Amino acid sequence: MSHAPASHPAAANAGDADGARVKQDFIRQIVRDDLAAGRHAAIRTRFPPEPNGYLHIGHAKAICLDFGLAAEFGGRCNLRLDDTNPAREDPEFVAAIQDDVRWLGFDWAELRHASDYFDVFHLAARKLIAQGDAFVCDLSADDVRAYRGSLTEPGRDSPFRGRGVDENLDLFTRMRAGEFPDGARTLRAKIDMASGNINLRDPALYRIKHVSHQNTGDAWPIYPMYDFAHALGDAIEGITHSLCTLEFEDHRPLYDWCVDRVDLTGDPSLLQPLRDRGMPLQAGKPRQIEFSRLNINYTVMSKRKLAALVQEGLVDGWDDPRMYTLQGLRRRGYTPASLRLLVDRVGVSKQNSVIDFSVLEGCLRDDLDATAPRRMAVVDPLKVVLTNVDPDHVEALAFPNHPKDEALGVREVPFSPELWIDREDFAEVPPKGWKRLVPGGEVRLRGAGIVRCDLVVKDADGTIAALHCTLDPESRPGMDGANRKIKGTIHWVCARQAVAAEVRLYDRLFSVEKPDDESTGLTYRDHLNPASRRVMQGWVEPAAALAAPEQSLQFERQGYFVADRRDHRPDAPVFNRSVTLRDTWATRGEA
Ligand code: ATP
Ligand code: MG
């Protein structure tokens, strides 16, 4: 069964008000109408990626829609790898796609490959030839292009269009036997070279390619074209609602042509190869429905461009935490719930739009604000010595793990007269409105009391080496003066028990809204944000170091961080900043 596991209520509310309302988009309305009219006993959908790269955040929209719809309406959703283009496909991608879909919280009814159906496609092609609906064409790729015409001019018939059925069948048999070199011939649909829709001008159905396939090896020297394979794949699986993005709208007439002319439901013999292999038979007539792509500013979202970033060494691989692949977002600390929330908030329509990056970040903040345990960490350390506390004093303070959720419990935070605070929280010459520590001033150390800065200790070169402070004993937790009013509160860690940590401060990979707008003569490579990664050596409290890989935490006052799923170890912690606590980009332009 296709379903979202109970722990990942994708279709329900994920702890968020957004999910609670019934979704009313046009696709769900079509499904409701179809079910009400009894057109289907149950719906079937599929998510059909080509395994030629890693999935990106745009795919999350398609995944949530395909799997989410099936779950909401008690249907089934297949994962189908549309692997018709062997030169660019790889088992590495096949594995990663499965991993990503599961990570997002979904599971498939059946895992299929378009290549599982190669023998059915082949029988279907022979049927089209026999019906006079397809012919073998000897034109070169350049000639095919020249004959195709343009948006304003009709195309011209191929000189091979009139070939007889027997000659076509013979030539197609020899194509399949591997007699001809790559590109020598194609099998083309015989539709209409004058059609206003260029996709209907005798499109290719099969091409010759002597290339090994990731699933079928060297079994086939010919491969079906995407439109043919995709339409028939849907029909074979009995997909009721075949959802895809708007750029396929113009392909829909060809999609329908393939389904109708092959007519799998009227001709079950075509499915014999599947019957022979014991595959469940469930053919039907699918309906294609298009929706708008997810676009987000400050990102590139195409497998080709993401691949180029990796290949050109501009990022550290497919799962670099700055990448907009699902693997990159995962490593950055994006949660499945935050991405499902994004898809819910963006909604489904036929209107193309660009979502502001802050919407994506807002979804992560909303998810983690509710779920991430709080910890203290110092990213850019400055030593504080409390001169009026016994040098041997050690203490464990009890801190709640979450200010709004008692169920997350408490932890012990060690305290001693030697602490680290963040350099940013001290200013010798404070700017206007400064609320943190200054020479001679006071600040509250979160949960530990109020300190006054008595002395600034400097190195020979003038850099500040440490602050000598006194702790007001009456301001300690539980004392009468614990609530004494004070302007600023800062975080800290105990220098004696803190664990040294690598803290990677990530930011947007691109510094402009439309990195792939090439009208300026620049490319997205020219818009990389030089500050997209800064690596700091900081200190974290012991409870933070103990985090499991992929555990998200809020470092108080700093942002949400995740223990890196590759590099983090409790004795050598590594944290990635997932998102800051507030959006700092909105105001940057005004500075
Ligand atoms: P890309 O153009 O980035 O390489 P693609 O469309 O070629 O992506 P496929 O593997 O063909 O990638 O996509 C699988 C499914 O995901 C398709 O149904 C496609 O329509 C959908 N999809 C791809 N990109 C987006 C997006 N940005 N928003 C929503 N759905 C998308
Ligand atoms: Mg594509």
Side-chain angles (χ1 to χ4, degrees):
M1 262 303 280
S2 166
H3 65 287
S7 58
H8 286 146
N13 41 48
D16 185 277
D18 298 48
R21 59 166 212 276
V22 175
K23 293 171 196 149
Q24 296 291 359
D25 56 78
F26 80 100
I27 296 182
R28 286 175 170 87
Q29 204 45 55
I30 291 173
V31 170
R32 278 188 202 103
D33 291 347
D34 284 350
L35 288 172
R39 277 188 277 274
H40 313 287
I43 64 162
R44 283 174 198 272
T45 57
R46 84 288 170 266
F47 172 62
E50 186 184 350
N52 61 351
Y54 284 82
L55 298 181
H56 52 64
I57 188 170
H59 291 111
K61 178 173 180 179
I63 293 171
C64 290
L65 199 52
D66 289 318
F67 286 95
L69 211 63
E72 280 164 56
F73 291 95
R76 294 156 65 88
C77 181
N78 286 351
L79 174 60
R80 182 170 74 238
L81 298 150
D82 259 340
D83 52 354
T84 55
N85 209 347
R88 296 188 312 189
E89 294 159 4
D90 195 292
E92 177 191 345
F93 302 134
V94 174
I97 288 168
Q98 296 178 55
D99 203 33
D100 287 343
V101 170
R102 288 218 174 92
W103 175 70
L104 269 178
F106 299 103
D107 202 355
W108 42 90
E110 287 168 66
L111 175 70
R112 295 292 181 88
H113 291 78
S115 54
D116 295 336
Y117 313 138
F118 277 177
D119 34 18
V120 179
F121 299 158
H122 179 245
L123 289 179
R126 295 187 70 87
K127 173 175 176 176
L128 292 180
I129 296 171
Q131 286 174 177
D133 281 327
F135 66 100
V136 173
C137 180
D138 302 357
L139 289 180
S140 68
D142 284 344
D143 285 339
V144 168
R145 213 166 296 124
Y147 274 76
R148 189 177 293 135
S150 66
L151 285 173
T152 49
E153 281 167 64
R156 284 176 292 137
D157 284 358
S158 160
F160 305 98
R161 200 175 200 264
R163 265 181 176 147
V165 168
D166 290 344
E167 189 185 356
N168 279 322
L169 279 175
D170 175 59
L171 284 170
F172 190 56
T173 303
R174 292 166 63 194
M175 281 170 66
R176 196 266 170 265
E179 276 187 38
F180 309 119
D182 287 7
R185 295 191 156 88
T186 51
L187 181 73
R188 295 175 68 180
K190 202 186 279 186
I191 308 181
D192 179 7
M193 288 307 291
S195 172
N197 183 337
I198 293 183
N199 293 302
L200 295 181
R201 294 185 187 170
D202 292 3
L205 301 177
Y206 262 95
R207 62 201 187 287
I208 301 173
K209 238 185 184 150
H210 295 267
V211 177
S212 276
H213 186 278
Q214 62 91 16
N215 195 30
T216 58
D218 293 321
W220 294 87
I222 54 172
Y223 290 98
M225 299 303 289
Y226 179 85
D227 284 317
F228 182 60
H230 186 74
L232 293 189
D234 283 348
I236 290 170
E237 291 173 26
I239 301 305
T240 54
H241 301 82
S242 172
L243 312 182
C244 61
T245 35
L246 278 176
E247 70 272 22
F248 291 101
E249 198 163 20
D250 286 349
H251 296 240
R252 192 184 338 132
L254 175 56
Y255 180 97
D256 289 338
W257 185 93
C258 292
V259 170
D260 290 338
R261 294 300 166 118
V262 171
D263 189 20
L264 282 166
T265 47
D267 195 352
S269 70
L270 295 172
L271 298 170
Q272 192 58 43
L274 304 184
R275 207 172 283 121
D276 292 345
R277 276 185 277 145
M279 271 199 179
L281 298 180
Q282 46 210 183
K285 185 169 158 31
R287 167 175 179 190
Q288 175 175 309
I289 304 168
E290 308 86 14
F291 63 92
S292 60
R293 295 175 79 86
L294 174 63
N295 299 303
I296 303 179
N297 63 10
Y298 292 96
T299 71
V300 297
M301 229 188 275
S302 117
K303 286 185 223 159
R304 186 174 55 80
K305 287 175 186 164
L306 292 166
L309 290 169
V310 175
Q311 279 145 17
E312 294 168 26
L314 300 172
V315 294
D316 298 331
W318 285 102
D319 69 346
D320 183 305
R322 295 166 296 177
M323 286 281 274
Y324 301 105
T325 52
L326 293 181
Q327 304 257 335
L329 288 161
R330 176 177 183 177
R331 195 162 169 211
R332 174 73 169 265
Y334 273 82
T335 56
S338 68
L339 297 181
R340 293 193 303 256
L341 184 57
L342 174 76
V343 173
D344 280 353
R345 285 187 179 167
V346 166
V348 182
S349 76
K350 279 188 177 283
Q351 221 61 50
N352 272 316
S353 66
V354 180
I355 302 299
D356 195 81
F357 198 89
S358 62
V359 176
L360 170 66
E361 293 185 324
C363 290
L364 183 61
R365 288 190 191 101
D366 287 354
D367 181 37
L368 293 181
D369 178 44
T371 58
R374 275 38 174 181
R375 296 288 184 262
M376 291 200 288
V378 166
V379 170
D380 186 7
L382 172 60
K383 178 72 71 69
V384 164
V385 180
L386 302 177
T387 52
N388 64 336
V389 176
D390 177 353
D392 296 326
H393 179 82
V394 279
E395 192 179 340
L397 300 170
F399 271 58
N401 284 324
H402 197 285
K404 289 171 271 186
D405 189 354
E406 276 184 30
L408 288 180
V410 295
R411 69 189 189 279
E412 287 191 342
V413 176
F415 176 80
S416 77
E418 255 189 83
L419 308 171
W420 295 113
I421 66 167
D422 252 301
R423 229 161 245 281
E424 285 197 333
D425 286 333
F426 175 76
E428 268 192 299
V429 185
K432 217 172 141 237
W434 181 261
K435 295 195 175 110
R436 296 167 258 170
L437 198 55
V438 294
E442 285 189 317
V443 79
R444 184 186 303 281
L445 299 178
R446 158 90 74 220
I450 295 170
V451 295
R452 190 183 62 234
C453 174
D454 304 317
L455 178 71
V456 180
V457 183
K458 292 190 179 174
D459 285 343
D461 67 0
T463 40
I464 299 171
L467 305 176
H468 286 185
C469 299
T470 41
L471 174 67
D472 170 6
E474 282 306 305
S475 71
R476 307 234 45 215
M479 302 298 285
D480 287 349
N483 294 325
R484 175 155 73 87
K485 272 223 162 6
I486 189 99
K487 269 194 274 173
T489 298
I490 63 173
H491 61 274
W492 53 274
V493 294
C494 166
R496 297 198 184 138
Q497 291 191 50
V499 183
E502 182 171 313
V503 182
R504 300 170 181 167
L505 300 179
Y506 290 109
D507 202 347
R508 300 180 188 185
L509 182 56
F510 297 102
S511 44
V512 299
E513 278 193 43
K514 295 186 202 163
D516 47 9
D517 173 10
E518 295 185 357
S519 64
T520 53
L522 299 173
T523 77
Y524 54 97
R525 298 171 185 80
D526 302 307
H527 299 302
L528 291 169
N529 172 10
S532 63
R533 180 178 60 187
R534 281 180 298 143
V535 179
M536 310 290 287
Q537 302 303 325
W539 296 93
V540 299
E541 59 165 290
L546 289 175
E550 287 202 80
Q551 166 73 53
S552 291
L553 299 171
Q554 184 195 94
F555 287 166
E556 295 208 23
R557 301 179 60 237
Q558 319 237 29
Y560 294 100
F561 289 73
V562 70
D564 188 79
R565 64 189 290 241
R566 277 182 188 273
D567 301 336
H568 172 83
R569 290 200 327 255
D571 59 336
V574 179
F575 289 99
N576 302 331
R577 183 170 69 195
S578 313
V579 66
T580 53
L581 289 179
R582 273 169 291 278
D583 184 5
T584 55
W585 279 74
T587 49
R588 257 180 228 199
E590 298 156 22

